């Protein structure tokens, strides 16, 4: 059974204070690891897909990295508009053809 | 969110009633799926479809039915609503199965369902 664990559950940062969110996973044959952003009352918004260990992707102040056991979402010099819940999900070669999600990290950036 | 439309946005049901949550996408995506999101839990897969006429069960399928008669639509039916089905429901679609290269999965805005 695929498992995804995100940490921390919640994180409060000052504007400009860089940090990282962690997503550790246990799967049978990773086919993809996804990062989404979710704002209150909205659906998840796609950020990145990573497919293999060593892969990195960047978008504005966000950078996602992947190892064989975990992924990190690095946030550099965050702004208040980066406040959201960040979701990690995996797809594996076993089980149903869908995403297995972690519980998310609730990020608050204070001005 | 591009092209995935869910209706209704909010619904209150009485225990035992049935209803259908609608999901439509205009991106000609083959893959569609339904998730539910509950406080303190990650999104969980209910049912999915890899193309018209093909559906399969996810992690939490009990109490729900789906069908896929067209590429565009993937309705989720609650047969006899129970309070445990109070949740936020999200429909998602993508060009092909998740994990196939370069494939972005788009989510709808959600449907808030309360069963009393």
């Amino acid at each position: 059974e695929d498992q995804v664990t995100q940490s921390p559950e919640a994180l409060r940062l000052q504007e400009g204070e860089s940090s990282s969110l962690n997503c550790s996973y246990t799967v049978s044959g990773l086919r993809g690891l996804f990062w989404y952003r979710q704002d209150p009352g909205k659906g998840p918004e796609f950020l990145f897909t990573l497919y293999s260990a060593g892969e990195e992707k960047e978008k504005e102040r966000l950078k996602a990295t992947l190892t064989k056991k975990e992924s990190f979402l690095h946030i550099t010099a965050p702004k208040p508009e980066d406040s959201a819940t960040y979701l990690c999900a995996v797809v594996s070669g076993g089980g149903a053809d869908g995403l297995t999600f972690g519980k998310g990290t609730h990020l608050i950036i204070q001005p | 969110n591009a092209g995935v439309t869910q209706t209704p946005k909010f619904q209150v049901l009485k225990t035992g009633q049935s209803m259908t949550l609608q999901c439509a996408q205009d991106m000609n995506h083959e893959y569609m799926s339904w998730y539910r999101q509950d406080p303190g839990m990650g999104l969980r897969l209910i049912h999915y479809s890899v193309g018209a006429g093909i559906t399969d069960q996810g992690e939490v399928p009990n109490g729900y039915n789906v069908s896929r008669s067209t590429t565009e639509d993937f309705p989720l039916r609650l047969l006899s609503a129970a309070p445990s089905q109070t949740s936020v429901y999200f429909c998602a679609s993508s060009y092909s199965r998740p994990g196939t290269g370069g494939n972005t999965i788009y989510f709808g805005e959600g449907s808030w369902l309360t069963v009393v």
Side-chain angles (χ1 to χ4, degrees):
Chain A
E1 182 180 328
D2 299 344
Q3 290 190 338
V4 178
T5 303
Q6 291 189 246
S7 61
E9 291 184 9
L11 181 62
R12 189 182 298 265
L13 301 172
Q14 292 296 122
E15 183 173 1
E17 181 184 1
S18 301
S19 187
S20 297
L21 313 182
N22 178 263
C23 171
S24 62
Y25 62 90
T26 304
V27 299
S28 55
L30 181 71
R31 283 168 37 195
L33 184 140
F34 302 79
W35 282 99
Y36 282 85
R37 169 192 172 125
Q38 187 174 27
D39 293 301
K42 300 289 188 180
E45 177 187 346
F46 173 79
L47 293 174
F48 304 108
T49 308
L50 302 168
Y51 293 100
S52 58
E55 190 174 359
E56 300 182 350
K57 289 192 177 174
E58 289 188 66
K59 179 181 179 180
E60 296 181 358
R61 294 176 293 281
L62 301 176
K63 179 180 177 180
T65 62
L66 180 65
T67 73
K68 289 186 178 180
K69 294 184 177 181
E70 59 191 349
S71 176
F72 290 94
L73 184 66
H74 307 279
I75 302 175
T76 302
K79 299 180 179 181
E81 53 262 42
D82 294 321
S83 297
T85 296
Y86 290 84
L87 305 174
C88 175
V90 298
V91 175
S92 72
D97 251 329
L99 303 179
T100 299
F101 279 87
K103 296 180 181 180
T105 293
H106 182 49
L107 178 65
I108 298 173
I109 308 299
Q110 294 179 311
Chain B
N1 291 322
V4 180
T5 303
Q6 292 183 231
T7 56
K9 181 81 171 180
F10 300 98
Q11 182 72 47
V12 179
L13 282 180
K14 293 183 178 179
T15 297
Q17 286 185 318
S18 62
M19 78 156 298
T20 300
L21 299 178
Q22 301 290 345
C23 176
Q25 51 87 14
D26 59 2
M27 297 173 282
N28 201 31
H29 285 169
E30 289 295 323
Y31 177 89
M32 296 185 74
S33 55
W34 278 100
Y35 292 82
R36 61 178 287 174
Q37 186 174 38
D38 301 294
M41 303 187 73
L43 283 91
R44 292 180 292 169
L45 181 66
I46 304 172
H47 284 286
Y48 65 97
S49 169
V50 297
I54 305 169
T55 64
D56 209 341
Q57 296 181 351
E59 179 185 356
V60 288
N62 292 341
Y64 307 96
N65 269 0
V66 292
S67 60
R68 185 94 180 271
S69 57
T70 68
T71 298
E72 295 78 19
D73 301 298
F74 190 45
L76 178 71
R77 297 182 184 85
L78 280 70
L79 309 173
S80 177
S84 61
Q85 293 179 303
T86 294
S87 189
V88 184
Y89 292 85
F90 290 99
C91 179
S93 76
S94 58
Y95 180 73
S96 60
R97 288 174 148 142
T100 51
N103 198 16
T104 298
I105 303 166
Y106 296 96
F107 281 79
E109 290 288 277
S111 295
W112 272 252
L113 177 66
T114 301
V115 182
V116 298

